[in-house]
């Protein structure tokens, strides 16, 4: 017997997500699927999955209302769950991570558990509570799995040669940021929705995006453009952006350990010659940076590349 899905009377999707689903022609189909796959608790397999991870991607919002995407690292077991509605996390933000100054009781937070070597990922959005030194808990508002499309497989490798992190703040791209962006095949995006009347669908979300190296196109001094491919049709990220364009991106240099945090605003380009010219793109996304934080050698680990997602064979490139 399958576990129950969404038990609230209202939809698991807010008005922005419903608008995006309508525009993509999937709203009717997602009305029934969403109630089956979105839950207000974590199934046992999700709880067990989080507990074996060494990485956790986090979406959060600073005091200025700006979303950021971050990364927490720890030994497997740094996340535990004794209750299907609560996840306990024992990890501190790394040097330069904006999450360090944003953690507070009662804040909305989005979590993405991602195991790169298996392409498995699960999402959980909720409220932070019980904040102490190096630990906090998250009470579940929404929990659901994601498909493995567009995830490149990598194996986590501890570093023995990690140097002291170096933090650079700016409002536009320099040579180091341009180099990291140009070669990226993976990034993470954080968004927020707060305008609805249904408390269960409000909060912060963080999501994975993947493509061929170079699928992030640099425009000018502070903009990036990328193709948005077919996913799980929830439209969590785009739905949030339709109501609140403020967004945050996290890029990782898997070899050097660099981290690039960016916050700004995003927009959806639904149609036009650029969309049509990029193979497999269903729409494009443009992000304008208001602030970036580049932490050189920010991670005490690296990831050994294994394979690109086979789905990428059917996608194009900016060239």
């Amino acid at each position: 017997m399958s576990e129950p899905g969404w038990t609230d009377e209202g939809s698991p999707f807010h008005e922005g997500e419903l608008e995006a689903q309508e525009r993509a022609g999937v709203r009717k189909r997602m009305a029934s699927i969403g109630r089956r796959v979105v839950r207000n608790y974590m199934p046992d397999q999700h709880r067990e999955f989080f507990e074996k991870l060494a990485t956790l991607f986090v979406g959060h919002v600073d005091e200025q209302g700006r979303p950021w995407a971050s990364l927490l690292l720890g030994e497997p077991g740094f996340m535990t769950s004794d209750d299907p509605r609560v996840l306990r996390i024992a990890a501190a933000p790394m040097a330069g991570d904006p999450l360090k100054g944003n953690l507070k009781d009662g804040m909305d937070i989005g979590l993405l558990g991602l195991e790169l070597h298996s392409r498995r990922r699960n999402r959980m959005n909720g409220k932070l509570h019980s904040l102490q030194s190096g630990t906090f808990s998250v009470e579940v508002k929404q929990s659901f799995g994601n498909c493995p499309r567009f995830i490149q497989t990598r194996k986590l490798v501890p570093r023995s040669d990690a140097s002291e992190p170096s933090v650079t703040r700016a409002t536009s791209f320099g040579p180091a940021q341009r180099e990291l962006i140009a070669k990226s095949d993976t990034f993470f995006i954080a968004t927020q929705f707060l305008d609805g009347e249904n408390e269960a669908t409000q909060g912060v979300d963080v999501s994975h995006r993947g493509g061929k190296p170079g699928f992030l196109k640099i425009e000018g001094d502070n903009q990036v453009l990328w193709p948005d491919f077919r996913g799980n049709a929830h439209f969590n990220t785009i739905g949030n952006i339709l109501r609140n364009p403020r967004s945050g991106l996290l890029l990782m240099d898997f070899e050097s350990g660099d981290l690039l945090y960016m916050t700004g605003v995003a927009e959806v380009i639904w149609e036009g010659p650029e969309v049509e010219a990029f193979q497999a793109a269903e729409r494009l996304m443009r992000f304008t940076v208001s602030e970036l934080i580049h932490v050189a050698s920010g991670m005490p680990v690296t990831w050994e590349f294994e394979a690109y997602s086979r789905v990428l064979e059917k996608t194009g490139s900016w060239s």
Side-chain angles (χ1 to χ4, degrees):
M1 182 177 180
S2 61
E3 297 182 86
W6 189 250
T7 56
D8 288 14
E9 183 176 341
S11 170
F13 302 115
H14 62 66
E15 59 192 49
E17 294 164 330
L18 294 173
E19 178 186 336
Q21 292 171 11
E22 180 73 29
R23 181 145 192 169
V26 297
R27 178 169 176 172
K28 184 176 180 180
R29 175 167 63 88
M30 292 308 298
S32 59
I33 293 176
R35 300 194 73 88
R36 292 201 305 270
V37 302
V38 181
R39 302 175 175 90
N40 54 12
Y41 66 94
M42 291 179 291
D44 288 345
Q45 62 173 331
H46 288 203
R47 297 165 66 197
E48 294 165 2
F49 176 68
F50 279 114
E51 290 183 348
K52 75 174 188 174
L53 291 176
T55 58
L56 179 68
F57 295 91
V58 180
H60 53 102
V61 175
D62 65 18
E63 292 183 350
Q64 300 176 54
R66 304 179 305 173
W68 296 87
S70 294
L71 169 64
L72 290 175
L73 294 171
E75 294 295 326
F78 81 94
M79 290 182 280
T80 56
S81 176
D82 297 324
D83 183 323
R85 297 183 184 272
V86 178
L87 184 66
R88 186 73 176 166
I89 300 164
M94 293 178 285
D97 190 331
L99 179 61
K100 189 172 185 178
N102 291 345
L103 289 172
K104 60 183 178 181
D105 276 311
M107 68 182 283
D108 288 319
I109 193 167
L111 307 179
L112 168 64
L114 173 59
E115 191 174 61
L116 286 171
H117 70 266
S118 69
R119 292 194 172 103
R120 185 180 172 191
R121 56 176 166 168
N122 288 316
R123 301 254 283 279
M124 194 266 268
N125 304 333
K127 288 273 189 184
L128 186 148
H129 65 88
S130 305
L131 176 63
Q132 300 176 17
S133 178
T135 65
F136 60 91
S137 293
V138 178
E139 184 177 357
V140 179
K141 291 176 70 174
Q142 289 194 338
S143 171
F144 52 97
N146 272 168
C147 68
R149 295 165 63 89
F150 306 106
I151 298 176
Q152 332 314 342
T153 56
R154 287 181 163 94
K155 182 173 65 176
L156 190 148
V157 180
R159 295 179 67 183
S160 57
D161 61 343
S163 57
E164 190 70 20
S166 173
V167 181
T168 299
R169 292 178 177 267
T171 56
S172 60
F173 304 136
Q177 292 82 52
R178 288 177 177 274
E179 180 182 355
L180 197 162
I181 294 168
K183 67 181 181 181
S184 291
D185 59 42
T186 298
F187 73 93
F188 301 86
I189 179 167
T191 53
Q192 181 186 38
F193 175 77
L194 283 178
D195 297 332
E197 297 180 358
N198 184 1
E199 170 66 22
T201 61
Q202 298 186 46
V204 179
D205 181 81
V206 64
S207 181
H208 163 277
R209 292 291 186 272
K212 292 177 181 177
F215 82 118
L216 280 162
K217 180 182 180 182
I218 298 172
E219 296 187 321
D221 294 330
N222 68 341
Q223 288 187 329
V224 290
L225 184 73
W226 69 87
D228 192 65
F229 303 121
R230 178 175 297 180
N232 61 11
H234 287 206
F235 287 96
N236 306 116
T237 297
I238 289 179
N240 287 353
I241 290 170
L242 291 180
R243 293 298 181 267
N244 176 12
R246 287 184 162 190
S247 311
L249 305 188
L250 171 64
L251 278 65
M252 307 161 64
D253 188 321
F254 292 100
E255 297 177 354
S256 71
D258 283 17
L259 292 163
L260 178 58
Y261 308 90
M262 297 186 283
T263 192
V265 295
E267 62 175 312
V268 185
I269 303 171
W270 291 100
E271 55 191 8
E274 284 186 298
V275 179
E276 296 169 3
F278 200 107
Q279 184 182 354
E282 298 205 330
R283 62 203 65 83
L284 301 178
M285 305 292 295
R286 178 177 281 115
F287 177 79
T288 303
V289 177
S290 60
E291 183 179 2
L292 64 84
I293 303 171
H294 187 174
V295 185
S297 195
M299 292 185 288
V301 299
T302 60
W303 272 266
E304 181 181 312
F305 178 80
E306 294 184 330
Y308 289 116
S309 168
R310 291 186 177 181
V311 179
L312 296 185
E313 296 173 1
K314 298 181 180 180
T315 66
S317 66
W318 291 111
S319 60

